[in-house]
Amino acid sequence: TSTDGITWTSRTAVGANEWSSVTYGNGLFVAVAAYSIDYVMTSPDGVMWTAYTAAEANNWRSISYGNGLFVAVSSDGIHQVMTSPDGATWSAQPAAEQNSWNSVTSGNGLFVVVGGH
């Protein structure tokens, strides 16, 4: 964590996972992992974290928040999108097509995802 982007303090995650992305929304930090047992963790302050199970055991690459919803995308699996209103309870969603999705962002009322085969 950092308050100024210059001086950083190391924090302990809930597991030795390959954490791939973090976002902030609705008063909560939410991170997703590429490979782990607990694929999601949340924190109200960026210091203390709680682990949650993802909707699918995929390689979750990116997460974003918008329109009252957390959205994460995966580079593998059957359902390569998962959504959550609270960061704790996740639902699998079908992607527009099977792809190696790498990043998701939100803005102007839309979620935009990029990837490659």
Side-chain angles (χ1 to χ4, degrees):
T1 59
S2 175
T3 58
D4 59 9
I6 297 169
T7 304
W8 290 86
T9 302
S10 179
R11 303 295 181 185
T12 302
V14 292
N17 301 331
E18 185 181 323
W19 298 103
S20 54
S21 184
V22 65
T23 193
Y24 183 82
N26 200 28
L28 196 64
F29 292 98
V30 180
V32 292
Y35 302 102
S36 73
I37 295 170
D38 299 308
Y39 289 85
V40 180
M41 66 177 176
T42 66
S43 173
D45 58 10
V47 177
M48 299 300 297
W49 293 88
T50 302
Y52 293 97
T53 303
E56 305 247 339
N58 291 352
N59 182 3
W60 298 104
R61 289 309 209 179
S62 183
I63 186 168
S64 187
Y65 181 82
N67 304 332
L69 197 65
F70 292 98
V71 174
V73 295
S74 171
S75 60
D76 64 0
I78 301 300
H79 294 96
Q80 293 181 283
V81 177
M82 67 176 175
T83 60
S84 173
D86 60 8
T89 304
W90 292 88
S91 299
Q93 308 295 337
E97 64 179 63
Q98 292 295 108
N99 206 329
S100 181
W101 301 113
N102 293 315
S103 187
V104 60
T105 192
S106 61
N108 202 28
L110 297 173
F111 287 96
V112 178
V113 179
V114 295
H117 289 278

